[in-house]
Amino acid sequence: MKIFLDSANLAQIKEAIGWAAIDGVTTNPTLVAKEGREFFPLLKEICETVKGPVSMETTSRDAAGMIEEGR
């Protein structure tokens, strides 16, 4: 079983990593918006912080936009 933290809060993510309690992070645009930071720079920081998988929902509604965000 793998445990994923559902958050965009870097302090929470770093704390959970410090406990060795999570395998990865999931997040979404609503959680990112609650942090009051720019979307992509925060996602980049999360990806640089988490050694495991990071799952993120896109904000685009069309396939081309989703692909671009994934890149």
Side-chain angles (χ1 to χ4, degrees):
M1 174 172 47
K2 293 190 181 241
I3 298 173
F4 289 78
L5 178 65
D6 190 29
S7 178
N9 181 288
L10 276 172
Q12 290 176 350
I13 293 168
K14 289 176 181 179
E15 184 175 353
I17 289 170
W19 298 339
I22 63 169
D23 297 298
V25 170
T26 64
T27 193
N28 61 58
T30 301
L31 293 174
V32 172
K34 287 179 182 178
E35 295 305 309
R37 301 217 10 226
E38 289 189 43
F39 190 77
F40 288 109
L42 178 55
L43 293 182
K44 183 177 181 190
E45 245 184 286
I46 291 170
C47 289
E48 290 170 348
T49 301
V50 177
K51 300 298 181 215
V54 175
S55 175
M56 174 62 202
E57 293 177 14
T58 65
T59 57
S60 296
R61 294 181 180 252
D62 62 28
M66 290 178 191
I67 291 167
E68 183 61 30
E69 285 182 36
R71 289 185 177 135

